[in-house]
Amino acid sequence: MWTETNPEADAREAQRIAATAGKELCARLNLDRADALFVMGSGWKEAADSLGETAAELPMTDLPGFVAPSAAGHAGTIRIVVRGDQKLLVFFGRTHLYEGYGPLAVAHGVRTAIAAGAHTVVLSNACGGLNADLPIGEPALIRDHINFTARTPLIGARFVDLTDTYSPRLREAIAAKNPGIGEGVYAGWYGPAFETPAEIEMMHRLGADMVGMSTVLEAIAAREAGAEVVGLSLVTNRAAGLAGKKLSGEEVLEVARNAIPRLRPFLDGVAATVLGESE
Ligand code: 8IG
Protein backbone atom coordinates (compact mmCIF):
# COMPACT_ATOMS: atom_id res chain seq x y z
CA MET A 1 0.00 0.00 0.00
CA TRP A 2 1.21 3.51 -0.77
CA THR A 3 1.42 4.67 2.85
CA GLU A 4 4.13 2.07 3.46
CA THR A 5 6.45 3.79 0.98
CA ASN A 6 8.18 7.12 1.45
CA PRO A 7 8.80 8.85 -1.88
CA GLU A 8 10.54 11.88 -0.36
CA ALA A 9 12.93 9.57 1.48
CA ASP A 10 13.74 7.95 -1.90
CA ALA A 11 14.54 11.40 -3.29
CA ARG A 12 16.79 12.21 -0.30
CA GLU A 13 18.52 8.85 -0.69
CA ALA A 14 19.10 9.59 -4.40
CA GLN A 15 20.73 12.94 -3.50
CA ARG A 16 22.86 11.21 -0.86
CA ILE A 17 24.07 8.57 -3.33
CA ALA A 18 24.89 11.29 -5.88
CA ALA A 19 26.90 13.19 -3.25
CA THR A 20 28.81 10.00 -2.43
CA ALA A 21 29.35 9.23 -6.11
CA GLY A 22 30.62 12.78 -6.70
CA LYS A 23 33.17 12.40 -3.88
CA GLU A 24 34.26 8.99 -5.13
CA LEU A 25 34.58 10.31 -8.67
CA CYS A 26 36.93 13.06 -7.49
CA ALA A 27 38.94 10.66 -5.34
CA ARG A 28 39.27 8.01 -8.09
CA LEU A 29 40.23 10.47 -10.83
CA ASN A 30 42.48 12.62 -8.67
CA LEU A 31 40.19 15.57 -9.26
CA ASP A 32 39.91 18.45 -6.89
CA ARG A 33 36.67 19.65 -8.45
CA ALA A 34 35.06 19.67 -11.88
CA ASP A 35 34.05 22.88 -13.62
CA ALA A 36 31.54 21.58 -16.15
CA LEU A 37 29.82 18.39 -17.28
CA PHE A 38 29.42 17.33 -20.91
CA VAL A 39 26.98 14.46 -21.49
CA MET A 40 27.75 12.92 -24.86
CA GLY A 41 24.60 11.48 -26.36
CA SER A 42 24.27 9.42 -29.49
CA GLY A 43 26.06 10.97 -32.43
CA TRP A 44 28.35 13.12 -30.26
CA LYS A 45 30.71 10.58 -28.72
CA GLU A 46 33.16 10.48 -31.64
CA ALA A 47 33.44 14.26 -31.59
CA ALA A 48 34.42 14.43 -27.91
CA ASP A 49 38.16 14.17 -28.51
CA SER A 50 38.06 17.79 -29.67
CA LEU A 51 37.26 18.80 -26.08
CA GLY A 52 40.89 18.29 -25.10
CA GLU A 53 43.41 15.93 -23.54
CA THR A 54 42.09 13.00 -21.54
CA ALA A 55 43.57 13.12 -18.04
CA ALA A 56 41.75 10.10 -16.59
CA GLU A 57 38.85 7.75 -17.26
CA LEU A 58 36.71 5.24 -15.40
CA PRO A 59 33.64 3.08 -16.05
CA MET A 60 30.46 4.71 -14.73
CA THR A 61 29.44 1.51 -13.02
CA ASP A 62 32.47 1.82 -10.68
CA LEU A 63 30.52 4.58 -8.94
CA PRO A 64 27.47 4.09 -6.71
CA GLY A 65 24.05 4.46 -8.34
CA PHE A 66 25.08 4.12 -11.99
CA VAL A 67 23.45 1.49 -14.17
CA ALA A 68 25.22 0.19 -17.26
CA PRO A 69 23.85 2.16 -20.21
CA SER A 70 22.10 -0.10 -22.69
CA ALA A 71 21.45 2.13 -25.72
CA ALA A 72 23.72 1.60 -28.71
CA GLY A 73 26.54 4.11 -28.90
CA HIS A 74 26.64 4.64 -25.15
CA ALA A 75 29.90 3.35 -23.74
CA GLY A 76 29.29 4.13 -20.08
CA THR A 77 32.57 5.83 -19.24
CA ILE A 78 33.49 9.04 -17.43
CA ARG A 79 36.45 11.06 -18.65
CA ILE A 80 38.30 14.04 -17.23
CA VAL A 81 39.47 16.54 -19.82
CA VAL A 82 41.85 19.31 -18.80
CA ARG A 83 41.60 22.73 -20.45
CA GLY A 84 44.07 25.20 -18.98
CA ASP A 85 43.37 25.28 -15.26
CA GLN A 86 39.83 23.99 -15.68
CA LYS A 87 38.46 20.47 -15.84
CA LEU A 88 35.57 18.98 -17.77
CA LEU A 89 33.73 15.86 -16.79
CA VAL A 90 32.73 14.05 -19.96
CA PHE A 91 30.10 11.32 -19.64
CA PHE A 92 29.90 8.85 -22.50
CA GLY A 93 26.36 7.58 -22.27
CA ARG A 94 23.40 8.18 -20.01
CA THR A 95 20.41 6.39 -18.54
CA HIS A 96 17.11 6.83 -20.39
CA LEU A 97 13.59 6.59 -18.99
CA TYR A 98 12.79 3.81 -21.46
CA GLU A 99 15.33 1.56 -19.72
CA GLY A 100 12.86 1.37 -16.85
CA TYR A 101 15.05 2.38 -13.89
CA GLY A 102 12.98 5.49 -13.28
CA PRO A 103 13.56 9.27 -13.17
CA LEU A 104 15.99 9.19 -10.23
CA ALA A 105 18.34 6.91 -12.19
CA VAL A 106 18.04 9.22 -15.21
CA ALA A 107 19.05 12.26 -13.14
CA HIS A 108 21.84 10.50 -11.22
CA GLY A 109 24.70 11.36 -13.60
CA VAL A 110 23.91 15.06 -13.60
CA ARG A 111 23.52 15.10 -9.82
CA THR A 112 26.82 13.28 -9.38
CA ALA A 113 28.68 15.73 -11.64
CA ILE A 114 27.18 18.71 -9.84
CA ALA A 115 28.19 17.16 -6.51
CA ALA A 116 31.72 16.94 -7.99
CA GLY A 117 31.63 20.70 -8.57
CA ALA A 118 30.25 21.13 -12.11
CA HIS A 119 28.27 24.37 -12.28
CA THR A 120 27.51 24.08 -16.01
CA VAL A 121 25.85 21.06 -17.58
CA VAL A 122 25.99 20.54 -21.35
CA LEU A 123 23.47 17.95 -22.50
CA SER A 124 23.87 16.61 -26.03
CA ASN A 125 21.58 14.28 -27.91
CA ALA A 126 20.46 13.09 -31.31
CA CYS A 127 16.91 13.95 -32.21
CA GLY A 128 14.20 13.89 -34.82
CA GLY A 129 13.36 17.17 -36.50
CA LEU A 130 9.81 18.55 -36.66
CA ASN A 131 10.76 21.99 -37.93
CA ALA A 132 11.82 21.92 -41.60
CA ASP A 133 14.11 24.91 -40.97
CA LEU A 134 16.43 22.71 -38.89
CA PRO A 135 18.82 21.01 -41.31
CA ILE A 136 19.47 17.28 -41.00
CA GLY A 137 23.03 16.57 -39.89
CA GLU A 138 23.48 19.91 -38.14
CA PRO A 139 23.58 20.68 -34.42
CA ALA A 140 20.87 22.94 -33.01
CA LEU A 141 20.57 24.70 -29.67
CA ILE A 142 17.73 23.77 -27.34
CA ARG A 143 15.91 26.99 -26.42
CA ASP A 144 13.30 25.33 -24.24
CA HIS A 145 11.63 21.97 -23.78
CA ILE A 146 8.24 20.34 -23.48
CA ASN A 147 8.25 17.39 -21.11
CA PHE A 148 5.98 14.81 -22.71
CA THR A 149 7.30 12.01 -20.49
CA ALA A 150 4.93 12.73 -17.59
CA ARG A 151 7.89 12.01 -15.30
CA THR A 152 10.13 14.22 -13.18
CA PRO A 153 13.28 13.66 -11.12
CA LEU A 154 11.83 15.92 -8.39
CA ILE A 155 9.73 14.47 -5.58
CA GLY A 156 7.78 16.55 -3.08
CA ALA A 157 7.17 20.30 -2.95
CA ARG A 158 10.12 21.22 -5.18
CA PHE A 159 8.66 24.17 -7.11
CA VAL A 160 11.72 24.77 -9.29
CA ASP A 161 11.49 27.71 -11.68
CA LEU A 162 12.08 26.54 -15.28
CA THR A 163 11.71 29.90 -17.02
CA ASP A 164 15.31 30.03 -18.28
CA THR A 165 16.13 26.34 -18.14
CA TYR A 166 18.55 26.56 -21.08
CA SER A 167 20.85 29.45 -20.20
CA PRO A 168 20.03 32.46 -22.42
CA ARG A 169 23.50 33.84 -21.66
CA LEU A 170 25.31 30.73 -22.92
CA ARG A 171 22.92 30.24 -25.87
CA GLU A 172 23.62 33.76 -27.03
CA ALA A 173 27.37 33.32 -26.67
CA ILE A 174 27.33 29.99 -28.56
CA ALA A 175 25.09 31.40 -31.31
CA ALA A 176 27.43 34.39 -31.69
CA LYS A 177 30.28 31.99 -32.47
CA ASN A 178 28.11 29.88 -34.80
CA PRO A 179 26.19 32.22 -37.09
CA GLY A 180 23.04 30.63 -38.51
CA ILE A 181 22.87 27.81 -35.97
CA GLY A 182 19.33 26.53 -35.49
CA GLU A 183 17.48 26.81 -32.20
CA GLY A 184 14.27 25.23 -31.04
CA VAL A 185 11.99 23.58 -28.53
CA TYR A 186 12.91 19.99 -27.67
CA ALA A 187 10.09 17.59 -26.89
CA GLY A 188 11.06 14.89 -24.42
CA TRP A 189 9.44 11.54 -25.21
CA TYR A 190 9.42 8.48 -22.93
CA GLY A 191 10.03 5.99 -25.77
CA PRO A 192 11.36 3.48 -26.55
CA ALA A 193 9.06 3.42 -29.57
CA PHE A 194 9.33 6.45 -31.80
CA GLU A 195 6.23 8.62 -32.13
CA THR A 196 3.31 7.93 -34.41
CA PRO A 197 2.77 10.50 -37.16
CA ALA A 198 -0.28 11.72 -35.20
CA GLU A 199 1.87 12.28 -32.11
CA ILE A 200 4.41 14.20 -34.19
CA GLU A 201 1.60 16.34 -35.59
CA MET A 202 0.40 17.00 -32.03
CA MET A 203 3.88 17.97 -30.83
CA HIS A 204 4.43 20.23 -33.82
CA ARG A 205 1.14 22.03 -33.21
CA LEU A 206 2.09 22.45 -29.58
CA GLY A 207 5.34 24.17 -30.46
CA ALA A 208 8.01 21.47 -30.60
CA ASP A 209 10.86 21.71 -33.14
CA MET A 210 12.83 18.60 -32.17
CA VAL A 211 12.00 15.35 -30.39
CA GLY A 212 14.10 12.85 -28.48
CA MET A 213 14.16 10.49 -25.52
CA SER A 214 16.60 12.18 -23.15
CA THR A 215 17.70 15.54 -21.77
CA VAL A 216 14.52 16.98 -20.20
CA LEU A 217 14.74 15.26 -16.81
CA GLU A 218 18.49 15.89 -16.63
CA ALA A 219 17.88 19.58 -17.35
CA ILE A 220 15.26 19.76 -14.59
CA ALA A 221 17.60 18.09 -12.07
CA ALA A 222 20.44 20.44 -13.07
CA ARG A 223 18.23 23.51 -12.59
CA GLU A 224 17.05 22.24 -9.22
CA ALA A 225 20.72 22.01 -8.22
CA GLY A 226 21.42 25.54 -9.50
CA ALA A 227 23.64 24.62 -12.48
CA GLU A 228 23.51 26.43 -15.82
CA VAL A 229 22.29 24.21 -18.66
CA VAL A 230 23.13 24.04 -22.36
CA GLY A 231 21.21 21.67 -24.65
CA LEU A 232 22.69 20.54 -27.97
CA SER A 233 20.66 18.47 -30.42
CA LEU A 234 22.01 16.81 -33.53
CA VAL A 235 19.08 16.51 -35.94
CA THR A 236 19.50 13.08 -37.54
CA ASN A 237 16.08 12.42 -39.10
CA ARG A 238 12.77 13.99 -39.99
CA ALA A 239 10.27 12.89 -37.33
CA ALA A 240 7.69 10.20 -38.13
CA GLY A 241 5.33 11.04 -40.97
CA LEU A 242 7.26 14.10 -42.16
CA ALA A 243 9.60 12.49 -44.69
CA GLY A 244 7.21 10.22 -46.55
CA LYS A 245 9.15 7.16 -45.40
CA LYS A 246 9.85 5.09 -42.29
CA LEU A 247 12.50 6.00 -39.74
CA SER A 248 15.72 4.14 -40.49
CA GLY A 249 18.30 3.38 -37.79
CA GLU A 250 20.89 2.94 -40.54
CA GLU A 251 20.21 6.37 -41.92
CA VAL A 252 20.37 7.98 -38.47
CA LEU A 253 23.80 6.40 -37.84
CA GLU A 254 25.02 7.47 -41.27
CA VAL A 255 23.90 11.07 -40.70
CA ALA A 256 25.56 11.08 -37.27
CA ARG A 257 28.80 9.69 -38.70
CA ASN A 258 28.92 12.35 -41.38
CA ALA A 259 28.32 15.09 -38.81
CA ILE A 260 31.43 14.28 -36.74
CA PRO A 261 33.81 16.68 -38.56
CA ARG A 262 31.26 19.47 -38.07
CA LEU A 263 30.63 18.65 -34.41
CA ARG A 264 34.31 18.60 -33.41
CA PRO A 265 35.10 22.32 -33.75
CA PHE A 266 31.59 23.15 -32.58
CA LEU A 267 32.07 21.25 -29.29
CA ASP A 268 35.48 22.80 -28.72
CA GLY A 269 33.86 26.22 -29.12
CA VAL A 270 31.06 25.31 -26.71
CA ALA A 271 33.64 24.23 -24.13
CA ALA A 272 35.53 27.51 -24.57
CA THR A 273 32.28 29.41 -24.07
CA VAL A 274 31.02 27.57 -21.00
CA LEU A 275 34.45 27.76 -19.36
CA GLY A 276 34.75 31.48 -20.16
CA GLU A 277 38.08 30.99 -21.92
CA SER A 278 39.42 34.18 -23.52
CA GLU A 279 39.76 34.15 -27.29
I1 8IG B 1 18.10 9.98 -33.37
O1 8IG B 1 12.38 10.88 -34.34
C1 8IG B 1 16.24 10.22 -32.84
N1 8IG B 1 15.85 10.10 -31.57
N2 8IG B 1 11.51 10.38 -29.86
N3 8IG B 1 11.94 10.65 -32.13
C2 8IG B 1 12.38 10.41 -30.86
N4 8IG B 1 13.65 10.22 -30.57
C3 8IG B 1 14.53 10.27 -31.59
C4 8IG B 1 14.16 10.49 -32.90
C5 8IG B 1 12.78 10.68 -33.20
N5 8IG B 1 15.24 10.45 -33.68
Side-chain angles (χ1 to χ4, degrees):
M1 223 247 282
W2 61 84
T3 53
E4 286 152 22
T5 64
N6 188 340
E8 291 199 54
D10 291 349
R12 279 195 302 275
E13 178 69 356
Q15 296 282 12
R16 194 191 59 73
I17 298 169
T20 306
K23 277 200 199 93
E24 257 185 69
L25 173 58
C26 291
R28 280 280 307 273
L29 297 179
N30 201 15
L31 181 72
D32 159 42
R33 53 166 291 137
D35 294 285
L37 165 67
F38 276 67
V39 178
M40 311 315 293
S42 17
W44 293 82
K45 206 175 50 164
E46 289 75 16
D49 284 343
S50 72
L51 288 170
E53 289 289 311
T54 301
E57 248 177 2
L58 95 175
M60 281 179 189
T61 47
D62 279 15
L63 300 175
F66 283 81
V67 295
S70 68
H74 294 273
T77 56
I78 295 175
R79 175 186 293 181
I80 306 292
V81 167
V82 180
R83 292 179 67 107
D85 59 354
Q86 301 195 79
K87 278 138 202 146
L88 299 181
L89 277 172
V90 186
F91 283 19
F92 292 85
R94 52 154 61 94
T95 301
H96 300 83
L97 272 178
Y98 61 71
E99 294 170 64
Y101 296 102
L104 296 178
V106 171
H108 184 61
V110 161
R111 286 176 168 153
T112 295
I114 292 171
H119 43 76
T120 309
V121 171
V122 179
L123 303 168
S124 68
N125 61 59
C127 72
L130 289 84
N131 178 341
D133 292 342
L134 296 176
I136 303 290
E138 291 286 325
L141 291 168
I142 301 180
R143 182 175 68 243
D144 200 349
H145 76 222
I146 302 175
N147 182 359
F148 280 110
T149 70
R151 298 292 187 282
T152 170
L154 313 183
I155 298 170
R158 312 285 304 167
F159 305 122
V160 176
D161 175 66
L162 295 178
T163 306
D164 286 325
T165 304
Y166 300 89
S167 167
R169 177 183 82 84
L170 291 171
R171 263 192 291 129
E172 242 169 71
I174 295 165
K177 276 190 194 166
N178 296 275
I181 190 168
E183 198 177 84
V185 173
Y186 176 95
W189 189 246
Y190 194 111
F194 291 117
E195 302 72 26
T196 63
E199 285 159 349
I200 291 299
E201 161 102 16
M202 170 195 75
M203 287 179 180
H204 194 44
R205 290 193 196 198
L206 294 178
D209 299 297
M210 308 87 105
V211 59
M213 302 178 196
S214 65
T215 303
V216 294
L217 302 196
E218 293 157 78
I220 293 168
R223 293 304 294 150
E224 179 199 32
E228 273 194 292
V229 175
V230 172
L232 311 174
S233 284
L234 174 66
V235 186
T236 55
N237 59 280
R238 293 267 162 250
L242 299 180
K245 57 176 186 188
K246 293 192 181 190
L247 270 57
S248 148
E250 285 293 296
E251 221 172 287
V252 163
L253 291 179
E254 165 86 2
V255 169
R257 223 179 359 256
N258 291 332
I260 295 167
R262 165 90 181 83
L263 296 183
R264 290 178 56 86
F266 175 69
L267 262 185
D268 177 44
V270 171
T273 301
V274 305
L275 294 178
E277 294 171 0
S278 45
E279 300 296 299

